[in-house]
Amino acid sequence: MIAWVIPFLFLLSFGGIAWSLLRAVREGLQSYSGAYTAETARQYEELFLFIPPQRLLALARTAAVALFALFYLLFGSFGSAAGVLRGLIFASAAAVGALFAPGLGLKILRQRRARRFNQQLVDSLISMSSALKAGFSIVQAFESIVKQGAAPISQEFGLFLQELRVGVKFEEALRHMEARVGSEDLVLMNQSIEIARQTGGNLTEVFEKIAATIRERMRIEQRIYSLTAQGRLQGIVVGSVPILLLLAMTLIDPGMMMPFFRSRAGLVLIGFAGALEIGGALLIRKVIRIQV
């Protein structure tokens, strides 16, 4: 009797510890995912993309489950412990990537929006300068840009004017707009406005000079972009050839490639090739990325 009681107590103790750890991990993941999706949804709202956090979390979880199942079927197996472990590693990596995909998409959208904002800012500065010459105030000059209705600059300036109407100070509203957009050109414009308001400078000339400076900087950036186009294309071609070749061989002869994926040497070679791919991409990006 005692010979059965002691193993049972050990099993019960380890089972309780494992259950407690799994529960703590689940609660931590739920708390983190909820805070992450809420913050991501708030940042999407700053881009005027109103996505509920629950829907964002549901989409991320659905994509994570789908990618987990797909990658486990591709790289794992149920026939051995090594196959199960290999499948869990690849599937878990794909699922984690899917959970953090909304943040990556947010970064891409924010960069595109800031680029679009900078392009519109040049013409808007000229329009605001003309409005000031016609006798408009600085607030009325902002309103003239909003009435033109060209997003995203009209959206940001409209939100800036709404903050002024509810009692936010002019300087604070400008700083809030800087934080939302993340544009160095907008920071330059806001600093010139604050200096002119404090010293009584001529904003019309300042706006025209800022517009000329931004336009010249954009011209130089486009020139650099054209000169580095060959390097970017070489990086894309060289980086994509091994991946495309691997996919093509897998589709043409899966019976030959699946043992390679399921062997220890094959996994080591794939990891080594992936590390070289990432290192080469970062090196090429460092060479062709020139700040103006």
Side-chain angles (χ1 to χ4, degrees):
M1 184 68 179
I2 298 178
W4 289 96
V5 170
I6 295 177
F8 177 75
L9 292 177
F10 272 104
L11 180 62
L12 186 63
S13 300
F14 282 110
I17 294 174
W19 181 81
S20 300
L21 290 176
L22 289 175
R23 183 177 179 182
V25 171
R26 185 185 65 179
E27 292 178 354
L29 288 175
Q30 289 179 349
S31 176
Y32 177 75
S33 62
Y36 170 75
T37 52
E39 177 64 19
T40 305
R42 185 191 64 80
Q43 294 179 1
Y44 271 106
E45 290 178 358
E46 293 180 355
L47 302 180
F48 294 86
L49 297 174
F50 301 98
I51 303 175
Q54 295 81 6
R55 181 172 298 179
L56 192 65
L57 180 60
L59 291 174
R61 286 179 173 176
T62 303
V65 172
L67 288 178
F68 184 90
L70 177 62
F71 274 70
Y72 188 90
L73 292 176
L74 288 176
F75 298 100
S77 65
F78 297 98
S80 62
V84 173
L85 180 61
R86 180 175 59 251
L88 289 177
I89 292 175
F90 281 98
S92 299
V96 171
L99 290 176
F100 286 93
L104 179 60
L106 175 66
K107 183 178 179 180
I108 296 174
L109 290 176
R110 187 180 292 276
Q111 291 176 351
R112 291 182 177 179
R113 182 180 174 86
R115 191 180 305 113
R116 176 71 174 170
F117 183 92
N118 292 335
Q119 293 173 353
Q120 295 176 344
L121 185 61
V122 177
D123 296 332
S124 298
L125 286 172
I126 300 299
S127 299
M128 293 172 66
S129 177
S130 301
L132 293 175
K133 289 179 181 178
F136 288 14
S137 65
I138 184 64
V139 176
Q140 291 174 333
F142 277 105
E143 290 177 351
S144 65
I145 302 301
V146 175
K147 291 179 181 178
Q148 295 177 4
I153 196 167
S154 62
Q155 296 172 336
E156 296 295 342
F157 283 8
L159 186 56
F160 164 76
L161 294 174
Q162 290 179 7
E163 290 184 350
L164 292 181
R165 296 189 185 102
V166 298
V168 179
K169 294 183 179 180
F170 190 89
E171 293 78 8
E172 292 182 2
L174 288 178
R175 286 194 291 270
H176 293 167
M177 185 165 56
E178 289 179 8
R180 290 194 306 270
V181 179
S183 170
E184 297 180 356
D185 298 333
L186 180 62
V187 173
L188 180 61
M189 185 196 78
N190 292 345
Q191 290 177 350
S192 65
I193 292 175
E194 293 182 4
I195 293 173
R197 284 168 58 89
Q198 295 174 1
T199 61
N202 190 352
L203 268 179
T204 58
E205 295 182 0
V206 173
F207 281 170
E208 291 175 355
K209 291 181 179 179
I210 293 176
T213 301
I214 296 174
R215 187 180 291 110
E216 182 65 18
R217 183 182 59 79
M218 288 183 176
R219 187 189 67 81
I220 296 174
E221 287 182 348
Q222 291 296 327
R223 178 63 175 169
I224 294 174
Y225 187 83
S226 301
L227 293 175
T228 57
Q230 183 179 359
R232 288 195 306 275
L233 182 60
Q234 289 177 348
I236 294 173
V237 172
V238 173
S240 60
V241 164
I243 300 174
L244 295 177
L245 182 61
L246 181 64
L247 293 176
M249 293 178 65
T250 303
L251 293 175
I252 294 173
D253 193 354
M256 179 186 68
M257 295 302 298
M258 294 312 294
F260 175 76
F261 290 138
R262 293 172 180 175
S263 64
R264 182 177 300 177
L267 295 177
V268 172
L269 290 175
I270 291 175
F272 183 67
L276 291 178
E277 286 272 340
I278 295 174
L282 294 176
L283 182 60
I284 294 175
R285 183 175 181 271
K286 183 68 174 178
V287 171
I288 66 176
R289 194 177 182 87
I290 301 174
Q291 296 291 337
V292 180

